[in-house]
Structure formats: structure tokens, C-alpha cells
Amino acid sequence: MKQQGKLFYQQSVNDVMQQMKANPEGLSDQSVEQRRAQFGYNRLQAKRRTTLFEKFIAQFKDLMIIILIIAAIIAGIAGEHIDAAIIIAVVILNAVFGVFQESKAENAIDSLKQMSAPMATVLRNGRETTVKSEEIVPGDIVLLEAGDVVPADIRLIETNTLKIEEAALTGESVPVNKQVETINDTDLPLGDRKNLGFMNSNVTSGRGVGVVTGTGMNTEVGKIAHMLNTTEEATTPLQENLNKLGKVLTILILVIAVIVFGVGMWRGEESLINMLLTAISLAVAAIPEGLPAIVTVTLAIGTQQMARHRALIRKLQAVETLGSTDIIASDKTGTLTQNKMTVEKVYLDGQLKDSGETKQLLSDKLPQIMILNNDTKFLEDGLGGDPTETALISFYLNHDLPVQEFIKKYQRVAEIPFDSERKLMSTYNKVDDGQIMMTMKGAPDQLLARVTQILDHGQVRQITDEDKQKISETNHELATQALRVLAFAYRMVDKVPTELTSDAQEHDMIFTGLIGMIDPERPEVAQAVAEAKTAGIKSVMITGDHQDTAQAIAKRLGILERSDHSTDRVINGAQLDELSDSQFENQVENIAVYARVAPEHKVRIVNAWQKKGKVVAMTGDGVNDAPALKAADIGVGMGITGTEVSKEASDMVLADDNFATIVTAVKAGRKVFANIQKSLQYLLSANLGEVLTLFVMTMMGWEILAPVQILWINLVTDTFPAIALGVELAEPGIMKRKPRGRSSNFLSGGIMSNILYQGFFEGFITLSVYAFAILNPVHSSEALIHADALTMAYATLGLIQLFHAFNSKTIHQSIFKVGLFKNKFFNWALLGSTLLLVLTIVVPGFNDMFHVTELGPSQWIVVIIGGFMIVVISEVVKYVQRHFFNQQ
């Protein structure tokens, strides 16, 4: 039963019934079983899940984790079992946390399944019967009524004022008026296939009958499920940076360790075991053991801060990724707009006014018609029904008018229902004095053709050509602003007519007014778009809505410039299909709005930007957004209006559906990246200082620092101070910088040069203190002289790193401008680390364990001056960077 030639919406009802081998009386039980054997159950399929054990093992494939495991083994060989245990604990905790995050992210297909209608009404064996939706098969005849969820893809064969809301699938907020007639157009988007119903869409009003044309993975929702199964998640910039850094460090560590071991053995002054321990010490000195833990902690703290701003992070890496965003590709309906039709303009008595400027009284005809010619249902949790009609009721409820009492008082006694051809609806209501008021609402052009009079400042008179011209011009003006326009009219009759047809009754009406409605933009979004633009981030609108509507909203939000000189333009899905991938990639930077697009278009848009080297954030709330959310570098779901599918496919969920929250999240993401850079600069420059110290000592044939000393310095200085740098406050002007983009890394922006000169001076100062101690001894014994020199070098190397933590609070600014002691955690971390370092020298009993001697006051003064020199040097270099190299 595959489609052949024409698509279902292009075929007549008879042709589809024949193709599906369907019976108007429904399938027999035997036929149902045969088809279920052929097509399977009406379910969505998910790809094979990895087991918890597989996820756990996969965490150890990361290069930095492998380096850490090697470091633990080396520490164990060196006899430092406590340090080895700490490193292994960090590795295991990191793996467990990774498994937890990955498991949470695998529920997108489950959410699609949960959206499916649990039960459906079908014709079987000539009788209506209720079955589980998963038991439906192609060729089944499905009966629909208001409140139902469409259980499968269907071709409609009967409709009675049927409206189906398909926003989650198509992006259109207004329910679609369904029809039976064949549509001859080609390449129509889903929203324009008005004789079809789609799985998981909602019937808002009317009734209908359809023949099932697709079930399970053969439905439009099934196509999205397939895309979710096959779409590879993008590697985040954070993951790419850490992987590259791990590879570079691995090579450098191995090369330096081998050189030092070889030179030491060549000199012949050390035993094999001593040189092996020296190489091990150097390798441990080079490895930033705390980096993965520091990155994880920094990201975790970032998620907590963002949660306070209503941005919920589902994957830790998303915090940093959002900070590097170049493009925010946003769904319109429910994300940039409120997904709630609202009355914005009123045309009454020949004048067009904003809705807030009009006086609202139930004694006036226009409010009466808008309320009485309306099928809105009053529910416990709000209003139900067509969003266009609920907007009319909300308009008057917001003005504190007794709408429900008015409806009860003037009850409807008859109606001529809406249909999509004439685009009108008429009702008959009993009013005062036993009269009947016939009300009419609908498309302005259709209604104008049926009016002969006009209500003008409370008086009824003959309508003129000038009146009609002005009404038409106003209608056109509102339409160009992407407003949905309804016209209203009435006339009084003595009784309900017996012939309730349009031809017989819809004539000689009295024109009353026009209403312009729109799904309005969220009030905070325009400012958020402007802030994003200041931060160098381009906002792109992607929607299933009509092109005119999308363009108007985009201009109101600032996504499109209001001037005619803007290079940004608008295209629709059909135009996008005409572009080859290469053509599209060449044009993508000049396209700001995409209208009438399908899910596969959204993924294509995301991919095109990624091929340009851009980091893409995709926001969305519908099922149709899920594949693009997964394909994007960071998917941003909506917590309130968003479907569970879109939320599960996202990296971050906005708990308040507030687009402005994204800007706050971008700032947090940028701060996280900057803080990771600070921690990295601190760790690698400190480790480089240690490596240079050991390397030069080995080359010079001096006594070298013991492995336990290096390990203790690493444990004391690499952990808490580095983590404290990860929670530094955001630097001023962080949102005025251009996005880093995908090509940047943790070592860009001057970080690499900083690491090199700072590491060099840390090693140089340490060696200088060692040489000073040798040349200016306080003891006469050669052994004590060298023991003091090693102790002073050890103390200097530790203190110099703690002083350097202050330097790392800012990359290029003076530390005296960013607040030395604002970060309380940093203050306590530095104090605690300093005590742990000093205690190994001044507390009796530690001397032998750490191979150190007690130092005198003059020696401590030299050590402290040596340690503080790194601050002086860094401040001088930063001054030169700012004033001569324009680095900020």
C-alpha cells in the first residue's frame, strides 16, 4: 500500500479508499489481523539503547581521562597511594556523572510515544468501536470529534466544521479548517494539506471521518522519530577543546619525560630507579590532574546559577557551548510569540484604533456580535476552543465584562456553521423584546459582499462605495502587518428562518466593524534580540507559519531591519528546496527568516550554519523542532509550552519560556568559558613552571625536587585555587565581546602566550631562589646547604603558584581593578592551600616525610619575595598587552 504517483492530498477520496483497500463500513477483524502482520503495530520505534555498563565504559575513552588513569598508575608506582586514590576517585565520579547525564538525554522517542492517543474510535465490521491507538492499521476508518487526538495519518473523507490544531507539528498556532476536496497543488507544506490529518495533532472543534494512510514510523511524526534516531549529536566545543588539549599534553609529557630520563641516564650520576622516579615526577608535574574535575565543578556551578534564572541545563557541556554561540535559530510560535491570539486593532465608526484605546460596553453591537457569534468553551483551567474565538472572549474578559452572564441571557437558537469555502459563520440569538439578532463574522471580503448598510456612531445608514473602499483599505493595511482580520455584521429578524442556508439568509447585513488579531511577540524578546546583536549573535527565525506573518513579527522584534537597506531576507520552504546545498551555504548568512518550513528544513538550516564554522543554538517547543534541537550545538527547549519530545531532545530548557532568559544564559556561558580559561591558564603555567624546574635541575646535574614534593604541590595548589577561579564573577563588558565561534579554543585569546611566559618565570624564579640559597648559605655543611636550597625551591614553587592564582583572576586586566577579595571561596581556598604548604615545613614530623628542612626568617623572606615576583611580572606584561597590543 505504498503511495504511487500522486500524494494522498492530491488524490480523490475514492482513489485513496481503493489504494488503501478500505471499506466505508470499516475493516473486518480478519483484515485487521492481516494488515497488522504486514505493517506492525501503530508505534514509534527507537534505536537500540546502550546499557549502563556500556555507557560507563565509554566514559573512559576520553583522552584526558586516560591521562588521569596513567597519572594515578604513576603516582602509585612512586609510592604516593593517597594521591593515586584521589585521582582514581575523580575519574570514577566523572564517569558516573557522565552516565547519569547521558541516560537522562535518551528519552525523546519515549516522549513521542507518550504523546500518542491512547484510544481511538474506528469503524470495524460495520460498527463503531473504541480501540487502543496502537492497534490501528492502514485502511481503518477513524471517527474524530472535538477533544480527540488524531491517532494516525489519515485522508479525510468527511468533515463537519472540523478544525485541527497542528502547532506541535507544523509550527502554526491557528487550527486548520479541514476539507475533503482534492488539492491539486504540488510540494505543499504540511500546514497546507488541508484534507489530511496527522498523528498526534488535536481536534479543536467539529467532527470528521478519515481513512488511515500511515501508521507508526510511516507517519509524519514517525519521520521525525526516524530523524531523531539517525541524527548525530554535535560534538560540543568544550569536548573538542578538551580532546585537542589532551592529545597535545600527552605528546609533550611523553617527549619531555623520555628526554629527561635519557639525559639523566647518559650523565650516569643517578641510578635507574632514581631517574625513573624523576621522569615519573616530571610526568605527574605536567599533568593537570584536577582539570576534568575543575571543568565539571565549574560547569555544575554554572548550571546552578542559571537555574536561578529559570534556565535548566540537561547536559553540563551546554553551559559552555551556549557561551560560544554565534547563531540563535528560534522557532516563532510559542518562543518568540506568546502562542495566544490577541486582539490588537479595532476598526469602528470609520476609525482604526489600538485595542486598548477603544471603549468596551456590552450595550454596543460590536461586542455583542463578537461574544454571541462564538463557540468558546469556559473550562475550569481557562478557555477552550478555536484560538481566534477565545481571543475575542479574552478581549472582553480582560475588560472585566460579565461575558458568561451575557451569553446565558441571550442564548443561541440557531446557526449557519462556518465552512472554509464561504469563510463565514452566522448565529441567531434571542435578545430583548423577543427579537432575534442574526450575527455574522468572517473574512472581510466575503462579509462585505453581503452587507447593504453600516453602523456609524450608533446610527444605521446605507453603506456607500467610499465606505467599502475604506474598509477594504483598512483590511489590507492590517493584513500587511500580519494581523488576522475578521469582519462583523448583524441584522434583526422576527423569527428563526426555516431555511438555514447561506444563500437564503446571509444578505442585507449591517456592517459593524473589523478586528485585527495576532499571536503577539513576547514583550521582552525585542530587547533580548538587541542584546544578542550587541554580543555579536545573529538571531534567525524559523517557523511553519506564513511568510507575511513571519516577516512582520521579525521586523517587530528586530530580527529583520525595518529599513529597505538590510541585506537580510525572508525565504519559504519551497524556495529553500530549490537551492542546492552549495547555493544555500553561500546564501545562508543573508537569510534571517524561514517561513513554511518542514522539520527536515530546520536540520538543513542548522547544518548549513555549522558548515560555516558557526556554533548554533536552536530554540523550539514542538515535535517538529526535535531533530533540529538534537542536531544543533545546543538545543533550547521551552519548559511550559514545549512538548516533552522537544524538551528531551534539548540540552537546555527554559522553565519560563522566556526568550530573554537565553541572553542571561549566554552571559553565564561566556563567564563559564572565561573561568575555565583562567583555571587552565593557572594550572598549565604552574605545571610548566614545575616541568622547567625539574628539567633544568636534571640538565644541570643539581639535586631535584622529590616526587612527594611535586605531588603535594600539585595536590595543594592545583585543586581548590583552580576550582575557586571557576566561580569568579563575570568580568565587565563580557557581553560586548564577539562570539568565540567554533574555531577558538581554551588556549586562544592570548592564553597560550600567557601560559608560556608565566610558566617560564615561575620556573626561572624557583631556580633563582635555589641558586641564591646555594650561593648564600646559612649552614656550612654541604648536605644542609643543598637541603635548604631544595626546601626553599619547594616553598617558592608552591607559593609562587598561590600568588599566581591572583594573576589568573583576569586574563588581561589588572587584578587591582577586578576586586582581589570579592570571591569568598577563592579567599578561603588560598588561605587553606597556603597553610597546607607551610605546615609541611614548619610542623615537626613532616620534615622527613617531605624531605625538607626548617627555614629561618631570612630564608622565608627570600621565598615570599620570590613568590610575589610573579605578580609584579604579570602586571607589567598585562600593561604592555593592553596598551601596545590592544588585548582586553
Side-chain angles (χ1 to χ4, degrees):
M1 293 185 190
K2 292 182 180 178
Q3 284 179 246
Q4 297 174 351
K6 294 181 178 180
L7 298 172
F8 286 122
Y9 70 87
Q10 297 170 315
Q11 300 180 50
S12 68
V13 170
N14 288 336
D15 288 343
V16 174
M17 291 288 285
Q18 289 178 9
Q19 184 177 330
M20 302 310 300
K21 298 179 181 177
N23 186 332
E25 298 295 317
L27 299 175
S28 66
D29 291 339
Q30 182 181 0
S31 182
V32 169
E33 291 302 322
Q34 290 174 346
R35 296 183 188 212
R36 186 170 297 125
Q38 180 181 356
F39 296 102
Y41 281 92
N42 183 28
R43 298 171 181 160
L44 299 175
Q45 299 171 0
K47 61 183 177 182
R48 177 188 173 273
R49 297 289 182 86
T50 53
T51 65
L52 282 176
F53 180 73
E54 288 172 331
K55 291 189 183 81
F56 184 75
I57 295 299
Q59 303 300 316
F60 296 93
K61 295 178 182 178
D62 181 79
L63 190 56
M64 186 59 71
I65 298 299
I66 293 173
I67 293 174
L68 282 178
I69 293 172
I70 294 172
I73 294 172
I74 291 172
I77 294 172
E80 302 302 324
H81 303 298
I82 294 176
D83 205 69
I86 292 173
I87 295 173
I88 290 297
V90 168
V91 169
I92 293 175
L93 284 173
N94 192 70
V96 169
F97 195 83
V99 169
F100 175 71
Q101 289 293 322
E102 190 177 332
S103 297
K104 283 179 62 180
E106 283 193 338
N107 299 320
I109 300 300
D110 288 343
S111 299
L112 272 172
K113 292 176 181 177
Q114 291 167 9
M115 281 185 64
S116 301
M119 305 298 289
T121 303
V122 297
L123 285 177
R124 295 265 177 91
N125 305 303
R127 299 189 305 272
E128 286 189 23
T129 182
T130 301
V131 299
K132 292 181 179 178
S133 63
E134 66 179 23
E135 296 176 357
I136 286 177
V137 296
D140 257 327
I141 304 298
V142 176
L143 309 180
L144 299 173
E145 60 181 31
D148 286 348
V149 176
V150 181
D153 282 6
I154 61 174
R155 169 64 162 92
L156 293 166
I157 58 179
E158 290 180 30
T159 60
N160 183 4
T161 65
L162 179 67
K163 292 185 180 182
I164 300 181
E165 186 266 311
E166 301 169 343
L169 191 64
T170 66
E172 270 200 86
S173 55
V174 179
V176 179
N177 294 305
K178 292 299 183 178
Q179 66 185 57
V180 174
E181 292 76 15
T182 303
I183 302 173
N184 294 319
D185 295 340
T186 57
D187 298 326
L188 286 180
L190 297 183
D192 290 336
R193 300 180 185 184
K194 297 184 178 180
N195 54 16
L196 302 183
F198 304 108
M199 185 179 185
N200 293 351
S201 55
N202 301 292
V203 179
T204 59
S205 62
R207 296 182 301 277
V209 181
V211 57
V212 175
T213 56
T215 58
M217 298 300 286
N218 293 319
T219 61
E220 293 298 330
V221 171
K223 292 178 184 177
I224 293 174
H226 176 72
M227 293 170 69
L228 281 171
N229 283 336
T230 56
T231 301
E232 292 295 328
E233 292 194 48
T235 304
T236 68
L238 178 67
Q239 292 168 325
E240 292 175 0
N241 280 325
L242 288 178
N243 287 339
K244 289 177 183 176
L245 179 63
K247 291 176 183 177
V248 171
L249 286 177
T250 300
I251 294 170
L252 288 177
I253 291 166
L254 291 175
V255 169
I256 294 172
V258 169
I259 290 175
V260 168
F261 180 79
V263 170
M265 292 304 296
W266 174 72
R267 292 177 64 87
E269 296 180 6
E270 298 285 347
S271 66
L272 175 64
I273 188 64
N274 283 341
M275 282 316 304
L276 181 60
L277 287 173
T278 298
I280 289 171
S281 299
L282 193 139
V284 171
I287 296 172
E289 295 97 331
L291 182 58
I294 289 161
V295 169
T296 300
V297 169
T298 303
L299 292 174
I301 292 171
T303 65
Q304 293 172 1
Q305 294 172 342
M306 291 168 73
R308 288 196 287 270
H309 292 286
R310 311 292 289 167
L312 310 177
I313 301 299
R314 298 185 65 254
K315 301 176 184 176
L316 277 186
Q317 295 89 344
V319 182
E320 182 275 331
T321 308
L322 192 64
S324 62
T325 299
D326 297 283
I327 309 296
I328 299 178
S330 176
D331 183 49
K332 178 184 77 69
T333 305
T335 306
L336 299 173
T337 64
Q338 299 176 25
N339 197 17
K340 181 177 65 178
M341 294 298 287
T342 303
V343 175
E344 189 166 283
K345 298 285 185 180
V346 178
Y347 178 79
L348 184 66
D349 297 327
Q351 292 183 312
L352 181 65
K353 296 181 179 180
D354 290 336
S355 59
E357 298 175 359
T358 59
K359 185 179 179 181
Q360 307 301 327
L361 296 173
L362 286 181
S363 57
D364 296 329
K365 280 292 185 287
L366 184 59
Q368 291 177 4
I369 301 169
M370 291 168 65
I371 292 170
L372 296 177
N373 194 311
N374 201 305
D375 289 329
T376 296
K377 295 178 178 62
F378 293 85
L379 308 175
E380 290 184 5
D381 57 348
L383 301 177
D386 187 301
T388 301
E389 295 192 327
T390 58
L392 302 180
I393 297 297
S394 294
F395 180 56
Y396 292 107
L397 288 175
N398 292 338
H399 285 84
D400 297 324
L401 296 181
V403 174
Q404 285 181 275
E405 290 80 357
F406 185 80
I407 294 173
K408 289 177 182 178
K409 182 177 179 181
Y410 301 111
Q411 294 185 357
R412 185 183 303 180
V413 292
E415 66 181 77
I416 304 175
F418 176 89
D419 72 54
S420 56
E421 287 189 11
R422 80 182 204 287
K423 300 178 181 178
L424 295 171
M425 173 181 174
S426 296
T427 66
Y428 293 83
N429 295 76
K430 284 185 179 180
V431 293
D432 296 329
D433 303 326
Q435 283 191 299
I436 303 292
M437 182 167 72
M438 176 185 176
T439 69
M440 179 188 289
K441 80 167 185 291
D445 55 340
Q446 294 289 331
L447 186 140
L448 273 179
R450 292 166 169 81
V451 302
T452 55
Q453 296 174 289
I454 186 170
L455 185 66
D456 187 1
H457 292 87
Q459 302 297 317
V460 177
R461 62 172 175 81
Q462 291 295 310
I463 194 167
T464 65
D465 290 339
E466 288 79 10
D467 292 327
K468 289 188 176 182
Q469 178 69 21
K470 188 173 183 180
I471 293 167
S472 296
E473 288 175 354
T474 303
N475 176 40
H476 177 72
E477 178 186 344
L478 296 176
T480 56
Q481 298 174 34
L483 270 67
R484 181 180 175 86
V485 185
L486 286 179
F488 299 86
Y490 77 100
R491 67 183 171 95
M492 306 305 295
V493 298
D494 295 328
K495 61 179 182 179
V496 177
T498 55
E499 186 182 353
L500 286 172
T501 64
S502 175
D503 292 340
Q505 306 302 331
E506 292 181 333
H507 57 78
D508 297 324
M509 304 298 292
I510 302 168
F511 178 84
T512 309
L514 299 175
I515 291 291
M517 291 178 290
I518 198 168
D519 177 11
E521 69 275 18
R522 292 178 176 274
E524 68 282 346
V525 170
Q527 178 62 29
V529 170
E531 288 186 44
K533 189 176 292 186
T534 301
I537 300 169
K538 183 180 179 69
S539 298
V540 175
M541 179 192 289
I542 303 177
T543 178
D545 216 335
H546 290 280
Q547 189 163 330
D548 291 343
T549 304
Q551 184 168 342
I553 291 290
K555 285 186 176 181
R556 290 163 65 146
L557 293 174
I559 293 174
L560 280 175
E561 298 290 341
R562 293 181 181 272
S563 68
D564 296 329
H565 304 294
S566 173
T567 57
D568 285 337
R569 59 195 185 93
V570 184
I571 70 169
N572 58 40
Q575 293 170 322
L576 180 55
D577 284 333
E578 294 174 0
L579 298 175
S580 66
D581 287 343
S582 59
Q583 289 174 323
F584 180 42
E585 287 169 29
N586 291 333
Q587 298 182 32
V588 69
E589 293 178 309
N590 293 325
I591 302 171
V593 178
Y594 299 85
R596 306 301 277 169
V597 294
E600 56 269 24
H601 290 138
K602 298 186 179 187
V603 176
R604 190 180 176 198
I605 293 164
V606 169
N607 290 339
W609 277 112
Q610 288 174 331
K611 287 179 181 177
K612 289 284 185 180
K614 303 296 184 181
V615 177
V616 183
M618 167 72 187
T619 73
D621 62 348
V623 176
N624 59 327
D625 298 318
L629 290 171
K630 190 176 178 183
D633 296 285
I634 174 166
V636 184
M638 300 294 122
I640 299 174
T641 60
T643 59
E644 286 303 311
V645 184
S646 63
K647 284 186 259 187
E648 292 295 346
S650 300
D651 303 291
M652 181 178 87
V653 175
L654 303 181
D656 56 2
D657 284 15
N658 190 334
F659 186 91
T661 304
I662 298 175
V663 177
T664 304
V666 167
K667 183 176 181 180
R670 289 188 172 192
K671 184 188 78 170
V672 164
F673 182 87
N675 286 350
I676 292 175
Q677 274 193 316
K678 293 170 186 177
S679 297
L680 189 65
Q681 173 182 284
Y682 170 71
L683 287 171
L684 294 187
S685 58
N687 289 9
L688 178 59
E690 294 172 10
V691 169
L692 287 175
T693 300
L694 289 174
F695 186 76
V696 172
M697 283 180 165
T698 303
M699 296 298 103
M700 297 294 291
W702 296 349
E703 292 189 39
I704 63 173
L705 297 174
V708 67
Q709 294 173 331
I710 294 298
L711 289 169
W712 186 252
I713 289 175
N714 279 2
L715 187 64
V716 168
T717 65
D718 281 10
T719 310
F720 295 114
I723 292 175
L725 287 170
V727 295
E728 281 289 307
L729 299 174
E731 293 184 44
I734 197 168
M735 286 301 286
K736 293 182 180 179
R737 303 172 187 170
K738 295 301 179 185
R740 303 187 313 275
R742 187 175 294 279
S743 58
S744 71
N745 56 60
F746 286 123
L747 301 180
S748 60
I751 298 297
M752 189 65 204
S753 59
N754 285 355
I755 290 171
L756 292 176
Y757 90 78
Q758 290 164 359
F760 170 80
F761 279 110
E762 286 188 34
F764 176 78
I765 293 169
T766 302
L767 292 168
S768 298
V769 169
Y770 178 87
F772 179 87
I774 294 291
L775 297 174
N776 299 276
V778 295
H779 297 97
S780 56
S781 165
E782 188 75 17
L784 287 176
I785 291 173
H786 283 282
D788 282 353
L790 276 177
T791 301
M792 290 175 68
Y794 162 69
T796 301
L797 189 57
L799 279 183
I800 207 170
Q801 292 181 20
L802 295 175
F803 276 117
H804 182 47
F806 283 101
N807 293 329
S808 301
K809 288 170 76 75
T810 174
I811 305 299
H812 299 296
Q813 296 298 318
S814 169
I815 59 174
F816 301 105
K817 288 186 177 181
V818 297
L820 281 175
F821 304 106
K822 283 185 178 180
N823 184 345
K824 293 182 179 179
F825 180 53
F826 180 88
N827 300 338
W828 286 109
L830 264 289
L831 180 61
S833 296
T834 303
L835 287 174
L836 288 172
L837 178 69
V838 173
L839 286 176
T840 61
I841 300 174
V842 300
V843 174
F846 282 145
N847 303 68
D848 292 336
M849 186 185 302
F850 287 95
H851 313 293
V852 294
T853 59
E854 294 183 11
L855 299 178
S858 61
Q859 292 172 311
W860 273 115
I861 290 173
V862 172
V863 167
I864 293 171
I865 292 174
F868 185 73
M869 282 303 297
I870 194 66
V871 176
V872 177
I873 293 169
S874 291
E875 283 295 302
V876 171
V877 174
K878 286 179 182 179
Y879 179 86
V880 173
Q881 289 175 334
R882 291 194 304 273
H883 290 82
F884 296 97
F885 296 97
N886 197 32
Q887 291 183 337
Q888 301 297 322

